Amino acid sequence: MKIVVCIKQVPDTFEVKIDPETKRIVREGVESIINPYDNYAIEEAVRIKERFGGTVTAVSMGPPQAEKALRDTIAMGADDAVLLSDRQFAGSDTLATSYILSCAIRKMGDVDVIVCGRETLDGSTGQVGPEIANHLSIPYVTYVSKITNISEGVMECTRLMEDHYEELKAGLPVLITVIKEINQPRIPSLKGMMKAKKAQINLWQCGNVEGEPRHYGQDGSPTRVVDVWTEQMQKSGRKVEGDAEELASALMSELKNLGVL
Amino acid sequence: MALIKIFHDKCTLCKQCIDECPFAAIEIKDGKLYINENCTLCGLCVKVCPENALEKEEKAAFKTDLNYYKGIWFFAESRDGKLSHAAYEMLNAALKLKKDLGEPVAGVLIGSNVAGLAGELGKRGADKVYVVKGPELEHFQEESYAMAMAQAVSKYLPNIVLAAATMIGRSFIPSVAARVRTGLTADCTDIGIDGETKLLIQTRPTFGGNLMARIVCKNHRPQMATIRPKIFDEAPVISNDGNPEVIEEKFDASGLKNMVQIIGKEKVENTVDLQEAEVIVSGGRGIRDPKNFAMIKELADALGGAVGASRAAVDSGWIPYPHQVGQTGKTVKPKIYIACGISGAIQHLAGMQTSDYIIAINKDPDAPIFRVANLGLVGDIFDVVPALIKKIKEQKG
Ligand SMILES: Cc1cc2nc3c(=O)[nH]c(=O)nc-3n(C[C@H](O)[C@H](O)[C@H](O)COP(=O)(O)OP(=O)(O)OC[C@H]3O[C@@H](n4cnc5c(N)ncnc54)[C@H](O)[C@@H]3O)c2cc1C
Ligand SMILES: Nc1ncnc2c1ncn2[C@@H]1O[C@H](COP(=O)(O)O)[C@@H](O)[C@H]1O
């Protein structure tokens, strides 16, 4: 089975700074990590390989330093990795990002399962996974919490909805986006880390991806960020101190004011 | 409106494009390839054609097309044959845009037996209701719903399409946007119309709520956004005999390839839908022990609310993941959110700081949760919560 996992490198901080000119996030000087939700995707891809056989290829679109994130996926058990990096890809929104990723995946050929994270820490749209599936014209399932079985070209899995779980059957190839509940990502083994160190990360540029360049980057992105600002989050709240009785009374009268009691 | 050019001299009628087309938009008529009105210009046919006999007339399409797109659409989400709160919220959001844009508001119902719900949308102010129906649409499923919506969008060309950022909305709307090749802004907390350009201004938090961004979709239509639940109130009933114009569309399932099948359903143990709850009482690491969640549950029950949790509580295995509020869990906006023993890490705040009224109980007076709390109680939850439950019981008699 051929398994692909899509990962993104994100800045490891919530203290973001914005360039007032470009309205882009200033990434310099901030340490980068694998998007935390993608760790579940990597772990699940590796577990699929361990349970049902196959290979795991990690793919990421991003700047050259995203190579580090891909190395980390190899340490966790991915077999190889492809970095999609080209100036032409810069400024991609979810439509362009998913298009570029889908071109790369199509080029890999005969992929059976694509695993994505639920969403990214920075963009947090959760749109890239479903949009990749769409560009590839394959079915997809979001919010997967468990893979029960894969056999004879069919995946059985469970997904979380608002107030219930659904058990589903999907024919391969299929794309899934996974939630935290699905597994506990492993700590890379020493052997894994050694392998990662020596691994060759394949770099694919515009010419390797074989898509239509006008769908890449800014040109291929229908949406534009026109303004970015930081929200001062604070409420002119009231703080009450006192013994339990006083606090409970304060709360009680507030709940009455609010009309719930 | 097919804008795919066919070079009949190159076409060998190999049918690869017909097989590939997700919309069943290509047929052979009178011995020639023909593209019908189902075409969404996705261009897949162009890509698979081994003879280069197909070409997309891109540039011309975009410029002129914009004027054809009219109307403010919203996805009228229904579950088990009933309209969800989210549907009324989206209607309200659409009505707000109508004030500034002057275009009609239309709901889109998708399902096997949903036509009966159209009247209710009319009573609350919808001008039109599109009903896309078919047996394949009985249960929610990403591919069929996305295809149903995309078919309607490609046929009627709305200017704006809104959907609630519920799990259903966030699951299938991206696929609609990719099918019709337009932009999509996720999880907006506000929308409006720009006075000058008449573009849809979409506001959304990113970076865990630390950063707000305003986004527009200038040259592509429709302009699409998912909107966080509970940001808009439900549109109220404004007339008793709402008679919206109802347009019924039969779902064309011929392009459905490999549909995902539902083989079972399982309710999440004693959960109500957190995103629908008016009151949420949440517990964090301060709860210390799984059995202490009984106290949280008792308070939630007394207030007719639901139980939430911080990630720390979920990761400790004290309560299942569907209860988790925050960046990795659910985004909620109840009328009242009571945080018990939660420090208020930014990732937790990302999921609840837009609640109407926040109450925090924490023994650490410097806990960051107090920065967002309307009412902060500095004290021990094991003293305050039982005392409160007692008082509520006394009052109820
Ligand atoms: C990528 C990422 C995603 C995340 N996603 C989420 C998410 O979705 N949701 C989420 O909640 N967190 C999330 N987190 C974790 C978050 O950073 C915090 O670790 C977590 O919210 C802390 O939970 P807590 O407030 O319950 O625990 P703590 O931070 O340990 O706080 C416990 C609080 O309880 C108080 N307390 C203790 N005992 C008592 C008592 N008897 N009476 C009163 N007060 C008491 C303490 O003073 C303290 O303030 C995420 C983190 C990362 C890195
Ligand atoms: N640049 C990227 N490279 C590879 N995968 C990505 C990229 N951006 C997003 N993804 C995948 O899509 C998921 C959802 O991302 P998003 O839509 O940005 O919230 C992530 O968890 C990743 O699995």
Side-chain angles (χ1 to χ4, degrees):
Chain A
M1 197 153 23
K2 210 159 163 178
I3 308 148
V4 167
V5 58
C6 299
I7 65 143
K8 186 179 181 187
Q9 193 183 46
V10 295
D12 181 17
T13 179
F14 284 85
E15 300 295 317
V16 288
K17 283 199 215 77
I18 313 298
D19 182 327
E21 284 292 298
T22 61
K23 313 266 191 237
R24 292 247 177 77
I25 290 146
V26 181
R27 288 173 192 268
E28 285 77 38
V30 175
E31 210 207 318
S32 293
I33 51 166
I34 293 178
N35 174 38
Y37 316 108
D38 294 347
N39 285 317
Y40 305 103
I42 301 165
E43 176 64 30
E44 202 54 32
V46 173
R47 286 190 192 187
I48 294 172
K49 173 177 90 164
E50 289 167 351
R51 289 169 71 190
F52 308 107
T55 57
V56 175
T57 301
V59 57
S60 185
M61 185 187 95
Q65 59 269 29
E67 194 199 284
K68 162 91 173 55
L70 286 168
R71 248 176 234 292
D72 293 346
T73 66
I74 291 181
M76 281 177 74
D79 297 283
D80 49 18
V82 178
L83 174 63
L84 309 174
S85 195
D86 193 301
R87 288 188 100 98
Q88 286 212 51
F89 298 158
S92 293
D93 70 0
T94 59
L95 188 68
T97 302
S98 57
Y99 176 75
I100 296 163
L101 286 164
S102 71
C103 291
I105 293 169
R106 182 175 284 131
K107 194 179 162 189
M108 291 171 193
D110 302 319
V111 171
D112 298 292
V113 181
I114 303 165
V115 191
C116 287
R118 172 188 121 143
E119 62 184 46
T120 49
L121 202 57
D122 48 0
S124 29
T125 76
Q127 288 172 187
V128 168
E131 292 189 357
I132 293 173
N134 206 269
H135 294 305
L136 294 171
S137 303
I138 63 170
Y140 66 96
V141 186
T142 49
Y143 305 118
V144 171
S145 62
K146 185 176 169 190
I147 294 177
T148 317
N149 194 20
I150 302 177
S151 75
E152 295 177 19
V154 177
M155 173 189 287
E156 283 174 51
C157 61
T158 302
R159 71 104 69 93
L160 178 66
M161 295 299 278
E162 257 93 15
D163 58 356
H164 66 271
Y165 290 93
E166 261 171 18
E167 287 160 39
L168 305 165
K169 253 189 191 162
L172 305 185
V174 67
L175 181 146
I176 57 172
T177 77
V178 302
I179 53 174
K180 175 190 146 199
E181 200 182 349
I182 196 165
N183 58 43
Q184 179 66 48
R186 71 192 65 189
I187 311 290
S189 64
L190 200 61
K191 207 170 127 218
M193 289 197 289
M194 294 298 289
K195 192 174 160 223
K197 222 170 141 188
K198 283 184 287 187
Q200 154 89 23
I201 308 289
N202 301 298
L203 173 69
W204 290 8
Q205 291 180 299
C206 194
N208 305 102
V209 170
E210 292 177 11
E212 290 188 49
R214 70 198 153 85
H215 293 322
Y216 300 162
Q218 283 268 32
D219 289 350
S221 298
T223 59
R224 287 280 180 281
V225 176
V226 288
D227 200 6
V228 175
W229 69 98
T230 42
E231 194 101 307
Q232 290 302 357
M233 57 165 185
Q234 49 171 272
K235 300 198 172 161
S236 44
R238 184 157 70 84
K239 219 195 269 176
V240 185
E241 299 186 37
D243 64 22
E245 193 51 35
E246 286 161 357
L247 295 179
S249 300
L251 193 43
M252 192 70 187
S253 62
E254 199 63 23
L255 291 172
K256 278 186 198 152
N257 286 344
L258 292 166
V260 279
L261 283 176
Chain B
M1 64 151 243
L3 288 153
I4 303 280
K5 214 175 178 173
I6 308 171
F7 299 99
H8 293 290
D9 53 330
K10 291 192 196 164
C11 174
T12 59
L13 296 181
C14 72
K15 297 192 184 152
Q16 286 193 38
C17 55
I18 299 183
D19 290 342
E20 190 68 22
C21 177
F23 304 102
I26 313 178
E27 347 169 353
I28 295 176
K29 249 191 187 170
D30 304 324
K32 269 186 177 172
L33 204 66
Y34 170 78
I35 299 188
N36 65 34
E37 64 283 358
N38 288 347
C39 175
T40 65
L41 272 180
C42 72
L44 276 173
C45 54
V46 176
K47 206 159 278 150
V48 297
C49 178
E51 310 295 335
N52 293 325
L54 296 167
E55 197 182 285
K56 201 159 145 186
E57 294 179 41
E58 192 88 293
K59 292 264 148 57
F62 281 156
K63 289 279 170 289
T64 50
D65 261 357
L66 296 188
N67 302 316
Y68 292 132
Y69 289 82
K70 282 269 150 29
I72 306 160
W73 281 21
F74 65 97
F75 170 55
E77 185 172 330
S78 63
R79 294 188 218 162
D80 306 322
K82 276 200 296 245
L83 282 162
S84 76
H85 300 288
Y88 300 135
E89 292 169 23
M90 289 309 107
L91 171 52
N92 213 7
L95 289 170
K96 173 186 162 186
L97 300 180
K98 180 182 173 181
K99 280 204 198 97
D100 294 326
L101 199 60
E103 294 180 14
V105 164
V108 181
L109 285 162
I110 299 178
S112 61
N113 191 16
V114 287
L117 303 174
E120 190 60 33
L121 295 173
K123 285 183 195 162
R124 293 173 192 248
D127 302 303
K128 291 185 192 177
V129 178
Y130 294 89
V131 182
V132 189
K133 55 179 189 178
E136 303 82 2
L137 301 170
E138 188 180 347
H139 298 290
F140 169 74
Q141 196 274 328
E142 283 93 340
E143 193 183 6
S144 55
Y145 269 52
M147 195 182 278
M149 182 65 117
Q151 281 173 6
V153 167
S154 317
K155 183 159 171 191
Y156 296 102
L157 309 181
N159 185 4
I160 292 172
V161 177
L162 308 174
T166 54
M167 284 187 155
I168 288 183
R170 289 192 80 174
S171 295
F172 88 100
I173 293 293
S175 179
V176 178
R179 275 164 203 268
V180 302
R181 278 213 146 266
T182 191
L184 170 63
T185 306
D187 214 20
C188 297
T189 51
D190 193 19
I191 49 167
I193 299 291
D194 184 84
E196 222 166 275
T197 60
K198 299 289 170 199
L199 287 172
L200 179 69
I201 306 288
Q202 306 158 91
T203 304
R204 70 177 302 254
T206 58
F207 276 91
N210 251 357
L211 198 68
M212 302 300 292
R214 221 172 262 137
I215 292 166
V216 298
C217 176
K218 211 167 143 199
N219 295 319
H220 293 67
R221 293 292 177 276
Q223 304 168 80
M224 292 183 62
T226 61
I227 299 174
R228 195 175 276 191
K230 298 264 181 169
I231 293 286
F232 285 89
D233 293 331
E234 293 174 27
V237 173
I238 48 169
S239 84
N240 286 328
D241 46 28
N243 262 332
E245 181 190 339
V246 177
I247 301 109
E248 299 214 1
E249 282 294 312
K250 215 182 137 319
F251 175 54
D252 177 0
S254 55
L256 266 189
K257 275 193 190 146
N258 207 346
M259 205 164 97
V260 175
Q261 272 164 19
I262 303 175
I263 51 179
K265 271 191 188 198
E266 185 195 321
K267 265 259 173 266
V268 176
E269 212 56 44
N270 65 49
T271 329
V272 295
D273 186 340
L274 274 185
Q275 277 163 332
E276 298 278 340
E278 306 250 290
V279 177
I280 294 176
V281 185
S282 278
R285 200 187 324 261
I287 295 294
R288 282 209 304 261
D289 192 282
K291 64 177 192 293
N292 295 332
F293 259 100
M295 175 178 90
I296 300 297
K297 172 106 176 45
E298 197 179 351
L299 179 56
D301 286 345
L303 299 171
V307 176
S310 75
R311 172 165 167 177
V314 171
D315 283 359
S316 305
W318 301 343
I319 185 161
Y321 172 70
H323 292 267
Q324 184 177 318
V325 172
Q327 162 112 64
T328 342
K330 289 182 175 156
T331 306
V332 298
K333 190 178 178 289
K335 293 217 160 71
I336 302 175
Y337 188 91
I338 308 182
C340 304
I342 294 178
S343 62
I346 182 82
Q347 299 88 346
H348 188 79
L349 301 184
M352 46 63 77
Q353 62 179 308
T354 51
S355 302
D356 292 349
Y357 197 92
I358 298 169
I359 297 169
I361 312 174
N362 195 308
K363 62 184 182 189
D364 171 10
D366 297 323
I369 189 81
F370 288 127
R371 274 188 259 155
V372 300
N374 301 78
L375 176 64
L377 304 175
V378 184
D380 193 312
I381 42 174
F382 296 106
D383 298 332
V384 180
V385 175
L388 179 65
I389 293 172
K390 189 158 152 267
K391 278 186 192 294
I392 296 173
K393 280 196 179 141
E394 276 166 18
Q395 169 171 326
K396 289 195 173 161

